[in-house]
Amino acid sequence: MKRVLAHAGLTAGALIMLYPLLWMISASLRPNTEIFQRPGLIPEHPTLGNYALGWSSTGTSFGIYLMNSLIICTAVVIGNVLTCSLTAYAFARLTFVGRKTLFGLMLATIMLPAHVTLIAQYSIFRNLNWIDTFWPMIVPSFLATDAFFVFLMVQFIRSIPVELDDAARIDGCGAWGIYRRIILPLLTPALVTTAIFSFIWTWNNFFGQLIYLSTRTRLTVPVALRGFLDATGSSEWGALFAMSVVTLVPVVVVFVIFQRRILAGMAHSGLK
């Protein structure tokens, strides 16, 4: 009986959590006049017109926004996976002056709100003439600036037996050889976790892309969705929800395909 009640409670909780998503999908299939009239999930007059309208109503094909987001996300994933793994390997395995101090400073940056450094970062990128380009979103990922991913990989590398490094040294491997032939293959679960979170967080990043991008053809998906709302006139709610559903598809597909890798990486690194 307890098991039945537990399953019923979990099912009810899942339905409550899924209701906003299901309502958004339902709203994308309704005319504007019906969206806020009924709380139910079944459209009275279902239509796919919102998808056609949303794809081109901003004057620029929504495919361009999707491509811009994909370019930025791909570059960020490559940058984070490459540089964070190298930085984590240095903190976890190499011995150098100031290692503990630098590691402590890196951890401290996790607790630093991103908005604190926003003005300084904007000034730097403006002096570099990078405003209204993709560089402010991409370049920091190639400098191992995301301390969360570095810490995740450090924890994972520390769980790998040091004896493997010693055996590799006997075979003639240096620090780079140990990283490339021993650490990197065993680090795969943490690398996949880093790649997935980098992709999802960058894909959904609205504020960072809003302050750096202004040309319409360079906008990304989160910023482009804002264009469907008009504070002074009528908003295209149906088109907004339709394109929001389209925007969710890549994220859901990536998460479903790699969800087991994400859990494995989190479990091995000891993060929750």
Side-chain angles (χ1 to χ4, degrees):
M1 187 62 184
K2 288 183 178 179
R3 193 171 182 177
V4 173
L5 291 175
H7 279 83
L10 291 173
T11 302
L15 291 175
I16 292 173
M17 297 293 290
L18 284 173
Y19 178 78
L21 177 62
L22 297 175
W23 185 89
M24 184 179 71
I25 296 173
S26 172
S28 72
L29 299 173
R30 296 178 178 182
N32 267 343
T33 53
E34 291 184 14
I35 291 177
F36 297 108
Q37 300 300 320
R38 300 172 55 194
L41 297 177
I42 308 299
E44 188 174 353
H45 301 96
T47 175
L48 293 175
N50 290 327
Y51 287 86
L53 177 65
W55 192 263
S56 58
S57 64
T58 61
T60 302
S61 171
F62 203 80
I64 293 178
Y65 306 137
L66 290 171
M67 183 57 66
N68 292 340
S69 286
L70 188 60
I71 292 171
I72 294 174
C73 289
T74 302
V76 170
V77 167
I78 294 172
N80 277 339
V81 167
L82 180 63
T83 60
C84 291
S85 63
L86 285 168
T87 306
Y89 172 66
F91 279 130
R93 285 292 202 262
L94 303 184
T95 302
F96 53 91
V97 177
R99 184 183 68 167
K100 292 183 178 179
T101 303
L102 291 175
F103 187 66
L105 289 174
M106 184 209 68
L107 290 180
T109 63
I110 297 178
M111 295 174 280
L112 193 65
H115 302 85
V116 173
T117 59
L118 185 62
I119 295 176
Q121 286 181 342
Y122 187 88
S123 299
I124 292 172
F125 294 140
R126 186 184 59 183
N127 291 332
L128 292 171
N129 201 24
W130 284 359
I131 302 302
D132 201 23
T133 69
F134 294 163
W135 297 121
M137 280 74 71
I138 294 174
V139 171
S141 67
F142 282 86
L143 300 175
T145 55
D146 201 319
F148 173 79
F149 295 132
V150 175
F151 179 64
L152 183 147
M153 293 190 196
V154 167
Q155 295 296 97
F156 195 97
I157 293 173
R158 284 175 176 171
S159 69
I160 299 174
V162 182
E163 288 77 9
L164 294 176
D165 297 23
D166 298 334
R169 287 193 187 91
I170 293 174
D171 291 337
C173 281
W176 171 251
I178 294 173
Y179 166 78
R180 186 169 62 86
R181 298 181 180 180
I182 305 296
I183 300 298
L184 203 56
L186 296 175
L187 196 59
T188 300
L191 295 177
V192 173
T193 302
T194 298
I196 300 306
F197 278 118
S198 295
F199 182 89
I200 293 175
W201 291 348
T202 306
W203 187 269
N204 293 328
N205 182 9
F206 170 75
F207 188 65
Q209 297 165 9
L210 175 67
I211 61 174
Y212 290 121
L213 300 176
S214 56
T215 302
R216 180 168 293 280
T217 55
R218 293 174 184 165
L219 298 183
T220 55
V221 166
V223 183
L225 288 176
R226 178 66 179 80
F228 291 104
L229 301 179
D230 186 354
T232 60
S234 59
S235 299
E236 294 288 348
W237 292 106
L240 170 65
F241 291 132
M243 291 304 100
S244 296
V245 172
V246 172
T247 302
L248 279 178
V249 172
V251 178
V252 172
V253 170
V254 169
F255 182 80
V256 169
I257 293 176
F258 296 104
Q259 60 175 327
R260 290 189 177 181
R261 293 281 190 175
I262 295 175
L263 296 176
M266 300 294 281
H268 283 83
S269 62
L271 296 175
K272 294 182 179 179

